[in-house]
Amino acid sequence: MSPRRIRLLLADDQALVRGALAALLDLEPDLVVVAQVGRGDEVVAAARDSRAEVCLLDIEMPGLTGIEAAALLRDELPGVRSLIVTTFGRPGYVRRALDAGAAGFVVKDTPAKQLADAVRRVHAGLRVIDPDLAAESLMAGPSPLTAREAEILAWSLDGSPVSAIAARAHLSVGTVRNHLSAAIGKTGATTRAEAARLAQANGWL
């Protein structure tokens, strides 16, 4: 008898990457890709419709990030496990992904056999984290930013003026300046643009 196959959903906004992952994972006798989506906000519905058991999620996708999608899966489909598979191996992302309910975090250049094994372990209820990223995450520690500081810094990435950020956040200009000042101090930056770049590089945004 053929082994029971673990049902997988792949979420990545790059069709070529999704196709390559699907081809590699479908070679495994106990794995089968049952759904593919290119947006984070399509993950939960597709997982429900396809009866996926493990969702492999990229981080940077339109609609919702993979981390946000993992949190929705945890809340709406608690029996479904999620595994972050991303190019962006930033220490802060690991902690945020685990806090969102992801069961694992690996990078896209993980060898196919190791990725397949990570899927099996996540399906079995275990937690899987790329060892190098795990070490970096421990050394980096948690994000020093509050949720509001991170939100405002993220809105600073495109160079938006403080007044526009204040309107978006429904805060006064002075309050936004205070949050930015605190974030600049915590990141060791000298400008809000530098603070935003440093926070992004560490996976805090």
Side-chain angles (χ1 to χ4, degrees):
M1 290 179 62
S2 60
R4 178 187 174 281
R5 305 180 82 184
I6 302 169
R7 301 172 65 84
L8 309 179
L9 176 147
L10 305 183
D12 194 301
D13 62 342
Q14 297 182 47
L16 286 175
V17 173
R18 285 201 315 272
L21 280 175
L24 287 171
L25 293 169
D26 274 337
L27 291 174
E28 300 293 323
D30 58 337
L31 305 179
V32 59
V33 176
V34 295
Q36 298 183 42
V37 298
R39 295 177 57 89
D41 52 6
E42 296 174 347
V43 168
V44 171
R48 184 183 289 114
D49 292 344
S50 65
R51 294 181 290 113
E53 298 170 283
V54 179
C55 295
L56 283 70
L57 310 173
D58 189 22
I59 287 184
E60 296 194 357
M61 293 186 287
L64 292 174
T65 68
I67 292 173
E68 291 167 334
L72 277 182
L73 284 170
R74 175 197 60 200
D75 295 340
E76 299 190 23
L77 297 173
V80 178
R81 307 277 285 171
S82 58
L83 173 65
I84 301 293
V85 184
T86 185
T87 303
F88 302 100
R90 297 167 180 160
Y93 278 161
V94 176
R95 189 176 298 272
R96 288 173 55 205
L98 296 181
D99 288 345
F105 195 112
V106 297
V107 291
K108 284 181 180 174
D109 60 2
T110 299
K113 290 296 182 183
Q114 289 183 26
L115 178 59
D117 186 55
V119 169
R120 295 182 187 104
R121 292 169 65 192
V122 164
H123 179 258
L126 302 175
R127 178 169 283 181
V128 180
I129 305 173
D130 178 278
D132 291 336
L133 282 177
E136 289 179 28
S137 182
L138 285 172
M139 290 175 63
S143 170
L145 303 172
T146 66
R148 180 61 94 177
E149 289 164 358
E151 181 180 46
I152 289 173
L153 269 189
W155 289 335
S156 299
L157 284 168
D158 63 359
S160 294
V162 171
S163 59
I165 296 172
R168 187 174 182 181
H170 305 292
L171 297 172
S172 70
V173 169
T175 299
V176 169
R177 290 190 189 280
N178 288 339
H179 284 307
L180 287 171
S181 178
I184 289 169
K186 289 178 180 179
T187 57
T190 55
T191 66
R192 67 181 174 113
E194 183 186 3
R197 289 194 298 270
L198 286 169
Q200 186 180 48
N202 279 290
W204 296 337
L205 303 185

